[in-house]
């Protein structure tokens, strides 16, 4: 399984098809000369209902972490009522180990802007806000320039291509966040866009019904939107010809299309690489990332950002698709930000560092997340220092498993990052944790009779 030619990276030189030193930001004119915005011209002649149906048939799943069907998400929108409807583009990319959306924003921003215009047409949306993390200073400037070019060439604005069809004015803006992990959660993102503190909202109502400013809202990831021009141009059957059907049964959604994988950690050539969904992690590391650094042995990897949990030493060839969660006992594929760890990695220290991050980034609304992540961090510190007991280890595991949206104890799923990091680390590397623990048994002397001691 391998892509014969780049798709998302067709204009971004990327190994094995190009040299990263040749990369530069693609301008509007360069984008158009290489086929850009042709899909938008095609889309304007397709009815909104047919566009939504095409995306549903393609089985495009969100590239932001959850892997939910993009077309199905669009279909949840109520019929237009003449009032504003919004698109919120999630370019926050605050999950540690994730940097694939940055590649698109840095070097081919018009690919995403074309996807934004197509999405707005399909869903009858008036305004798009690109929510980008505060640390992405250069990327925000690149986007502002690309959007200015798009306005100048009637992709957005009063005379936009879509406006000529339905008379609507389509606008697009960049909104810079302040650098908070919690704002990567879709309702936390909406709160931040509205100028409030980035606290996730209780659902329902869901954003499709009551989202930004209380209006119907679509929230899509950068890479998800960047796929739309290719699906419109080449068809849903073409998209399904890439990747694979689910290995878990006919009724389970497949893993179709190309995917950007960000590889970091103990490899010789970290970077973002494009391949089909379903590539074996070992092949991705060996073929694209140059293999394990310094010839060290593989010990573990996190398949898609630190919230996904740990793969074990025997899971080097795990298939990187949406089935990975159920097949390898991790939370899921996530953002496909693969963090590779070699034989010298201290898993206890790695877990402690991950939990420290989540403890500090919790918004604090939910007691299990706010308190549980802090307790887990304290216990991990004790265990790492050799002061913990086997009882601490059991309590740590119990605390972690009681946190998160999947146990139903928190508003959003961010507490699950603590849950899965801790429980997969303990399950797959328990001897390493136990080697740091002291016995929980207490010596008790019992007197029998007047003088004997047992």
């Amino acid at each position: 399984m391998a892509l014969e030619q780049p798709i998302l990276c067709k204009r971004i030189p990327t190994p094995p098809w190009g040299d990263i030193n040749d990369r530069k930001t693609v301008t509007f004119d360069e984008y158009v000369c290489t086929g850009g915005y042709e899909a938008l011209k095609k889309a304007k002649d397709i009815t909104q209902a047919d566009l939504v149906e095409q995306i549903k048939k393609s089985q495009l799943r969100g590239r932001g972490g959850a892997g939910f069907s993009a077309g199905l998400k669009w279909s949840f929108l109520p019929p237009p009522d003449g009032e504003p409807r919004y698109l919120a583009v999630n370019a926050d990319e605050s999950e540690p180990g994730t940097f694939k959306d940055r590649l698109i924003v840095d070097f081919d921003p018009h690919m995403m802007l074309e996807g934004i215009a197509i999405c707005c047409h399909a869903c009858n949306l008036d305004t798009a806000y690109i929510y980008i993390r505060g640390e992405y200073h250069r990327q925000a400037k690149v986007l502002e320039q690309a959007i200015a070019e798009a306005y100048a060439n009637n992709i957005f604005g009063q005379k936009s291509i879509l406006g000529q069809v339905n008379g609507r004015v389509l606008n697009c803006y960049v909104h810079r966040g302040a650098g908070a992990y919690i704002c990567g959660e879709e309702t936390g993102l909406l709160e931040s866009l509205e100028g409030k503190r980035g606290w996730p909202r209780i659902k329902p109502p869901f954003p499709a019904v009551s989202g930004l400013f209380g209006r119907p809202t679509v929230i899509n990831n950068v890479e998800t939107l960047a796929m739309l021009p290719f699906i419109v141009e080449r068809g849903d059957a073409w998209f399904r010809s890439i990747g694979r059907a689910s290995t878990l049964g006919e009724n389970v959604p497949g893993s179709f299309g190309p995917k950007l994988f960000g590889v970091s950690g103990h490899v010789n050539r970290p970077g973002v690489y494009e391949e089909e969904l379903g590539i074996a992690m070992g092949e991705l590391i060996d073929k694209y990332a140059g293999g394990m650094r310094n010839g060290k042995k593989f010990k573990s990897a996190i398949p898609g950002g630190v919230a996904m949990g740990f793969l074990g030493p025997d899971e080097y060839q795990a298939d990187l698709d949406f089935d990975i969660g159920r097949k390898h006992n991790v939370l899921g594929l996530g953002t496909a930000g693969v963090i590779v760890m070699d034989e010298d990695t201290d898993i206890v220290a790695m877990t402690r560092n991950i939990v420290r991050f989540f403890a500090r980034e919790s918004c604090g609304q939910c007691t299990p997340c706010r308190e549980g992540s802090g307790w887990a961090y304290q216990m991990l510190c004790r265990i790492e220092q050799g002061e913990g007991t086997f009882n601490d280890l059991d309590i740590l595991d119990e605390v972690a498993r009681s946190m998160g949206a999947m146990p139903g104890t928190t508003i959003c799923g961010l507490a699950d990052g603590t849950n899965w990091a801790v429980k997969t680390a303990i399950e797959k590397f328990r001897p390493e944790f136990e080697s740091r623990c002291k016995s929980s048994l207490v010596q008790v002397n019992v007197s029998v009779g007047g003088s004997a001691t047992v």
Side-chain angles (χ1 to χ4, degrees):
M1 176 185 295
L3 284 178
E4 295 180 358
Q5 57 184 357
I7 297 170
L8 287 165
C9 292
K10 64 180 289 187
R11 302 176 191 86
I12 308 173
T14 303
W17 299 287
D19 188 338
I20 62 173
N21 294 314
D22 295 331
R23 289 175 176 173
K24 66 182 185 67
T25 302
V26 177
T27 65
F28 178 89
D29 291 338
E30 291 168 333
Y31 185 71
V32 170
C33 286
T34 53
Y37 289 113
E38 289 300 317
L40 178 60
K41 294 177 182 178
K42 182 177 180 180
K44 75 180 178 64
D45 296 324
I46 304 174
T47 66
Q48 285 94 341
D50 287 343
L51 264 180
V52 173
E53 187 61 27
Q54 183 178 36
I55 301 306
K56 287 174 68 175
K57 286 182 177 179
S58 73
Q59 296 188 44
L60 169 65
R61 296 175 66 173
R63 268 48 174 165
F68 191 78
S69 167
L72 187 59
K73 179 185 282 191
W74 294 1
S75 69
F76 294 154
L77 290 166
D81 59 1
E83 296 298 318
R85 293 151 65 96
Y86 300 101
L87 170 63
V89 183
N90 193 339
D92 190 64
E93 200 161 48
S94 55
E95 180 72 34
T98 307
F99 46 95
K100 47 92 178 177
D101 290 339
R102 178 177 175 175
L103 183 78
I104 294 172
V105 174
D106 264 329
F107 301 111
D108 201 358
H110 284 283
M111 181 168 59
M112 177 186 66
L113 297 184
E114 183 173 15
I116 287 173
I118 291 171
C119 176
C120 289
H121 174 51
C123 300
N124 282 287
L125 309 178
D126 308 283
T127 305
Y129 290 99
I130 303 172
Y131 187 96
I132 191 166
R133 65 183 297 181
E135 295 88 346
Y136 278 1
H137 303 289
R138 178 185 180 277
Q139 289 71 29
K141 293 178 181 178
V142 170
L143 277 178
E144 292 281 11
Q145 177 60 36
I147 290 172
E149 292 178 336
Y151 269 98
N153 289 277
N154 296 326
I155 304 302
F156 303 124
Q158 294 282 350
K159 299 179 180 180
S160 69
I161 293 174
L162 299 181
Q164 297 169 19
V165 177
N166 51 35
R168 297 198 333 268
V169 177
L170 176 60
N171 287 308
C172 182
Y173 306 100
V174 174
H175 182 100
R176 299 185 65 178
Y181 176 80
I182 198 71
C183 291
E185 195 276 336
E186 60 177 21
T187 59
L189 183 153
L190 295 180
E191 289 286 291
S192 181
L193 267 175
E194 292 180 357
K196 306 171 188 174
R197 183 173 181 175
W199 277 15
R201 300 173 180 174
I202 296 174
K203 295 178 284 191
F206 292 92
V209 176
S210 179
L212 187 62
F213 307 120
R215 296 295 303 158
T217 304
V218 172
I219 305 171
N220 280 145
N221 171 259
V222 169
E223 186 184 353
T224 308
L225 292 165
M227 280 302 335
L228 299 182
F230 299 100
I231 297 173
V232 171
E233 179 184 357
R234 306 182 189 188
D236 53 89
W238 162 82
F239 188 78
R240 293 193 306 275
S241 71
I242 302 170
R244 58 164 61 168
S246 175
T247 57
L248 300 175
E250 294 182 359
N251 296 324
V252 180
S255 300
F256 296 114
K259 183 75 184 73
L260 296 179
F261 297 91
V263 187
S264 61
H266 300 150
V267 294
N268 285 313
R269 191 171 64 188
V272 178
Y273 303 101
E274 182 180 6
E275 253 299 349
E276 295 189 39
L277 275 166
I279 185 174
M281 184 176 67
E283 182 182 355
L284 180 70
I285 293 171
D286 294 334
K287 179 179 177 181
Y288 293 94
M292 297 297 296
R293 192 176 65 188
N294 299 327
K296 298 279 188 176
K297 293 181 180 179
F298 171 82
K299 182 174 183 178
S300 181
I302 295 173
V306 296
M308 296 300 107
F310 291 86
L311 294 169
D314 59 343
E315 295 175 302
Y316 186 65
Q317 295 296 340
D319 292 334
L320 296 173
D321 58 21
F322 290 112
D323 293 342
I324 192 172
R326 289 169 62 180
K327 290 195 295 186
H328 293 278
N329 191 29
V330 290
L331 183 52
L333 181 64
T335 59
V338 182
I339 305 171
V340 182
M341 290 160 270
D342 66 21
E343 58 190 305
D344 296 332
T345 303
D346 184 338
I347 297 296
V348 178
M350 182 75 173
T351 308
R352 184 262 305 152
N353 197 38
I354 291 172
V355 173
R356 179 178 70 101
F357 172 81
F358 285 119
R360 293 188 175 185
E361 291 293 329
S362 170
C363 77
Q365 284 189 94
C366 306
T367 301
C369 182
R370 182 186 67 245
E371 302 297 330
S373 58
W375 295 340
Y377 174 62
Q378 291 179 46
M379 284 186 283
L380 280 164
C381 287
R382 286 207 303 270
I383 292 171
E384 183 184 8
Q385 293 162 8
E387 297 298 324
T389 66
F390 289 100
N391 191 43
D392 284 333
L393 188 56
D394 291 336
I395 293 174
L396 172 64
D397 194 25
E398 181 182 354
V399 167
R401 290 175 186 272
S402 67
M403 295 173 59
M406 284 183 288
T409 60
T410 55
I411 291 174
C412 78
L414 295 188
D416 293 295
T418 303
N419 179 338
W420 284 85
V422 171
K423 72 181 182 183
T424 56
I426 293 175
E427 285 174 0
K428 299 177 181 182
F429 298 94
R430 191 175 186 94
E432 194 164 330
F433 284 84
E434 290 180 341
S435 68
R436 305 282 187 91
C437 294
K438 300 182 294 186
S439 174
S440 301
L441 298 176
V442 178
Q443 182 68 36
V444 177
N445 294 325
V446 180
S447 295
V448 180
S451 59
T453 300
V454 177

